Amino acid sequence: MLDEIAEEIRKCRRCDLWKTRKNTVPGEGNENAEVMFIGEAPGRKEDETGKPFVGAAGDVLNEMLDGIELKREDVFITSVLKCRPPNNRNPRPDEIAACSLFLEEQMRTIKPRVICTLGNVATAYLLRRFGMKPQPISRIHGKPINIDTLDLHFTLIPMYHPAAVIYNAGMRNALVNDFKTLKKVIYRRTR
Ligand code: URA
Protein backbone atom coordinates (compact mmCIF):
# COMPACT_ATOMS: atom_id res chain seq x y z
CA MET A 1 0.00 0.00 0.00
CA LEU A 2 2.80 2.45 0.83
CA ASP A 3 4.43 1.34 -2.42
CA GLU A 4 1.28 2.20 -4.32
CA ILE A 5 1.21 5.67 -2.77
CA ALA A 6 4.90 6.13 -3.65
CA GLU A 7 4.11 5.15 -7.25
CA GLU A 8 1.31 7.72 -7.41
CA ILE A 9 3.73 10.33 -6.07
CA ARG A 10 6.32 9.38 -8.72
CA LYS A 11 3.76 10.13 -11.43
CA CYS A 12 2.40 13.28 -9.78
CA ARG A 13 2.07 16.58 -11.66
CA ARG A 14 -0.47 18.20 -9.33
CA CYS A 15 1.75 21.27 -8.85
CA ASP A 16 4.68 22.72 -10.79
CA LEU A 17 7.41 21.15 -8.66
CA TRP A 18 7.54 18.13 -11.00
CA LYS A 19 9.24 20.41 -13.54
CA THR A 20 12.29 21.00 -11.36
CA ARG A 21 12.53 17.80 -9.30
CA LYS A 22 15.16 15.14 -9.95
CA ASN A 23 13.34 12.57 -7.82
CA THR A 24 10.18 12.45 -5.78
CA VAL A 25 10.73 11.76 -2.08
CA PRO A 26 7.69 9.85 -0.84
CA GLY A 27 9.23 8.88 2.49
CA GLU A 28 10.53 5.62 3.84
CA GLY A 29 10.19 3.26 6.75
CA ASN A 30 7.87 0.74 8.24
CA GLU A 31 4.27 0.25 7.09
CA ASN A 32 3.44 -0.78 10.69
CA ALA A 33 5.38 2.03 12.33
CA GLU A 34 4.10 3.27 15.68
CA VAL A 35 5.89 6.57 15.13
CA MET A 36 5.80 8.82 12.08
CA PHE A 37 7.99 11.88 11.51
CA ILE A 38 6.80 14.62 9.18
CA GLY A 39 9.23 17.27 7.94
CA GLU A 40 8.73 20.18 5.58
CA ALA A 41 10.02 19.35 2.10
CA PRO A 42 12.94 17.53 0.49
CA GLY A 43 16.23 19.41 0.22
CA ARG A 44 18.99 19.04 -2.37
CA LYS A 45 20.35 15.71 -1.20
CA GLU A 46 16.88 14.24 -0.78
CA ASP A 47 15.99 15.37 -4.33
CA GLU A 48 19.15 13.68 -5.63
CA THR A 49 18.59 10.38 -3.82
CA GLY A 50 14.81 10.13 -3.50
CA LYS A 51 15.23 9.46 0.24
CA PRO A 52 13.99 11.62 3.12
CA PHE A 53 16.32 13.30 5.61
CA VAL A 54 19.66 12.17 4.18
CA GLY A 55 21.44 15.55 4.30
CA ALA A 56 22.63 17.59 7.27
CA ALA A 57 19.15 17.65 8.84
CA GLY A 58 19.06 13.86 8.43
CA ASP A 59 22.29 13.54 10.42
CA VAL A 60 20.65 15.41 13.30
CA LEU A 61 17.50 13.29 13.04
CA ASN A 62 19.60 10.09 13.07
CA GLU A 63 21.45 11.30 16.14
CA MET A 64 18.16 12.05 17.95
CA LEU A 65 16.75 8.63 17.00
CA ASP A 66 19.94 6.92 18.24
CA GLY A 67 19.62 8.85 21.50
CA ILE A 68 16.35 7.10 22.33
CA GLU A 69 17.29 3.80 20.63
CA LEU A 70 14.79 4.08 17.81
CA LYS A 71 15.80 2.68 14.42
CA ARG A 72 14.98 4.44 11.16
CA GLU A 73 13.59 1.18 9.80
CA ASP A 74 11.10 0.94 12.67
CA VAL A 75 9.59 4.40 12.13
CA PHE A 76 8.24 6.17 9.04
CA ILE A 77 9.88 9.38 7.88
CA THR A 78 8.39 11.74 5.33
CA SER A 79 7.63 15.42 4.70
CA VAL A 80 4.57 17.49 3.86
CA LEU A 81 5.86 18.06 0.31
CA LYS A 82 7.20 15.12 -1.66
CA CYS A 83 9.19 17.26 -4.14
CA ARG A 84 11.92 19.82 -3.55
CA PRO A 85 11.00 23.49 -3.86
CA PRO A 86 13.68 25.22 -5.99
CA ASN A 87 16.50 26.67 -3.87
CA ASN A 88 14.82 25.22 -0.76
CA ARG A 89 12.32 28.06 -0.61
CA ASN A 90 9.38 27.58 1.76
CA PRO A 91 6.52 25.41 0.51
CA ARG A 92 3.70 27.52 -0.94
CA PRO A 93 0.12 27.03 0.31
CA ASP A 94 -1.02 25.84 -3.14
CA GLU A 95 1.76 23.23 -3.18
CA ILE A 96 0.80 22.00 0.28
CA ALA A 97 -2.85 21.83 -0.79
CA ALA A 98 -1.94 19.88 -3.94
CA CYS A 99 0.37 17.45 -2.13
CA SER A 100 -1.45 16.81 1.14
CA LEU A 101 -3.59 13.94 -0.14
CA PHE A 102 -0.44 11.79 -0.22
CA LEU A 103 0.44 12.56 3.39
CA GLU A 104 -3.18 11.88 4.36
CA GLU A 105 -3.07 8.49 2.61
CA GLN A 106 0.21 7.66 4.33
CA MET A 107 -1.24 8.53 7.76
CA ARG A 108 -4.36 6.45 7.12
CA THR A 109 -2.29 3.49 5.90
CA ILE A 110 0.24 3.50 8.73
CA LYS A 111 -2.13 4.58 11.51
CA PRO A 112 0.76 5.57 13.80
CA ARG A 113 0.26 5.97 17.56
CA VAL A 114 2.51 9.00 17.57
CA ILE A 115 3.16 11.66 14.94
CA CYS A 116 6.10 14.02 15.42
CA THR A 117 5.88 17.12 13.25
CA LEU A 118 9.29 18.63 12.57
CA GLY A 119 9.11 22.40 12.27
CA ASN A 120 6.40 24.99 11.66
CA VAL A 121 5.15 23.85 8.27
CA ALA A 122 4.19 20.30 9.28
CA THR A 123 2.95 21.43 12.70
CA ALA A 124 0.70 24.13 11.25
CA TYR A 125 -0.63 21.69 8.65
CA LEU A 126 -1.64 19.07 11.23
CA LEU A 127 -3.05 21.57 13.75
CA ARG A 128 -5.25 23.15 11.07
CA ARG A 129 -6.21 19.77 9.68
CA PHE A 130 -7.51 18.69 13.08
CA GLY A 131 -9.35 21.92 13.82
CA MET A 132 -6.76 23.73 15.93
CA LYS A 133 -5.18 27.11 15.51
CA PRO A 134 -1.52 27.01 14.39
CA GLN A 135 0.87 28.15 17.09
CA PRO A 136 4.57 28.97 16.91
CA ILE A 137 6.72 25.88 17.32
CA SER A 138 8.73 27.72 20.00
CA ARG A 139 5.59 27.70 22.15
CA ILE A 140 4.21 24.21 21.61
CA HIS A 141 7.23 21.99 20.89
CA GLY A 142 7.44 18.94 23.12
CA LYS A 143 3.83 19.22 24.33
CA PRO A 144 1.88 16.11 23.35
CA ILE A 145 -1.62 16.67 21.98
CA ASN A 146 -4.06 13.74 21.72
CA ILE A 147 -5.97 13.64 18.48
CA ASP A 148 -9.02 11.43 18.09
CA THR A 149 -11.05 11.47 14.92
CA LEU A 150 -13.21 8.88 13.23
CA ASP A 151 -10.29 7.16 11.51
CA LEU A 152 -7.14 8.48 13.19
CA HIS A 153 -6.13 8.29 16.85
CA PHE A 154 -2.66 9.48 17.70
CA THR A 155 -0.55 11.67 19.93
CA LEU A 156 0.92 14.65 18.10
CA ILE A 157 4.28 15.87 19.37
CA PRO A 158 5.42 19.08 17.65
CA MET A 159 9.21 19.44 17.52
CA TYR A 160 11.77 21.86 16.14
CA HIS A 161 12.98 21.04 12.64
CA PRO A 162 16.38 19.27 12.81
CA ALA A 163 17.83 21.79 10.32
CA ALA A 164 16.92 24.63 12.68
CA VAL A 165 18.96 23.21 15.56
CA ILE A 166 22.23 22.70 13.67
CA TYR A 167 23.71 26.05 14.72
CA ASN A 168 21.65 26.63 17.85
CA ALA A 169 22.68 24.78 21.02
CA GLY A 170 19.59 25.87 22.97
CA MET A 171 17.23 24.54 20.32
CA ARG A 172 19.27 21.36 20.01
CA ASN A 173 18.82 20.76 23.77
CA ALA A 174 15.10 21.34 23.41
CA LEU A 175 15.00 18.75 20.60
CA VAL A 176 16.90 16.23 22.76
CA ASN A 177 14.34 16.78 25.54
CA ASP A 178 11.42 16.48 23.12
CA PHE A 179 12.78 13.11 21.97
CA LYS A 180 12.83 12.04 25.63
CA THR A 181 9.16 13.00 25.79
CA LEU A 182 8.59 10.93 22.65
CA LYS A 183 10.25 7.95 24.32
CA LYS A 184 7.93 8.28 27.34
CA VAL A 185 4.86 8.49 25.10
CA ILE A 186 5.97 5.40 23.15
CA TYR A 187 6.37 3.33 26.29
CA ARG A 188 3.08 4.52 27.76
CA ARG A 189 0.77 1.89 26.31
CA THR A 190 -2.46 3.74 26.92
CA ARG A 191 -2.99 7.43 26.39
N1 URA B 1 14.02 18.59 5.49
C1 URA B 1 12.76 18.10 5.45
O1 URA B 1 11.84 18.72 5.97
N2 URA B 1 12.54 16.95 4.82
C2 URA B 1 13.53 16.23 4.27
O2 URA B 1 13.27 15.15 3.73
C3 URA B 1 14.85 16.75 4.35
C4 URA B 1 15.07 17.93 4.95
Side-chain angles (χ1 to χ4, degrees):
M1 186 65 187
L2 284 179
D3 287 349
E4 287 163 29
I5 301 170
E7 192 47 39
E8 289 302 311
I9 294 170
R10 261 186 285 280
K11 292 187 294 202
C12 180
R13 294 186 172 189
R14 292 172 57 87
C15 77
D16 280 348
L17 293 181
W18 70 272
K19 294 178 183 165
T20 46
R21 74 186 174 210
K22 288 192 179 123
N23 287 290
T24 55
V25 187
E28 67 179 6
N30 196 314
E31 182 132 2
N32 300 310
E34 295 212 322
V35 185
M36 184 165 172
F37 291 90
I38 306 175
E40 180 174 318
R44 187 173 54 81
K45 205 148 176 198
E46 290 78 18
D47 180 52
E48 277 165 9
T49 59
K51 292 180 183 305
F53 282 96
V54 289
D59 292 342
V60 175
L61 180 59
N62 290 344
E63 188 189 315
M64 298 292 152
L65 289 169
D66 276 353
I68 61 164
E69 289 162 355
L70 264 187
K71 296 195 179 68
R72 269 180 82 116
E73 56 269 31
D74 291 337
V75 302
F76 190 79
I77 301 173
T78 189
S79 295
V80 174
L81 292 193
K82 314 306 190 191
C83 296
R84 182 194 186 206
N87 306 315
N88 295 352
R89 65 161 168 73
N90 287 340
R92 295 196 319 234
D94 59 308
E95 292 161 350
I96 295 174
C99 203
S100 61
L101 84 167
F102 297 122
L103 179 62
E104 295 285 335
E105 278 184 47
Q106 289 171 326
M107 289 194 291
R108 278 197 302 272
T109 301
I110 298 166
K111 294 190 171 50
R113 282 181 54 225
V114 186
I115 296 182
C116 301
T117 47
L118 305 173
N120 272 312
V121 170
T123 304
Y125 176 79
L126 278 211
L127 288 178
R128 271 202 202 99
R129 162 74 175 79
F130 294 103
M132 286 166 276
K133 216 171 126 214
Q135 296 196 52
I137 194 76
S138 55
R139 191 176 315 150
I140 58 165
H141 72 87
K143 295 184 182 157
I145 303 169
N146 288 337
I147 295 191
D148 283 295
T149 64
L150 235 40
D151 53 349
L152 286 170
H153 310 272
F154 62 91
T155 302
L156 168 64
I157 310 180
M159 295 186 178
Y160 283 120
H161 194 287
V165 314
I166 293 175
Y167 300 108
N168 186 318
M171 276 162 76
R172 179 181 281 264
N173 270 338
L175 191 57
V176 168
N177 282 329
D178 292 351
F179 267 75
K180 289 183 186 155
T181 301
L182 165 62
K183 188 171 182 176
K184 282 192 204 131
V185 171
I186 294 171
Y187 288 106
R188 198 197 303 155
R189 297 309 306 184
T190 54
R191 294 190 284 119

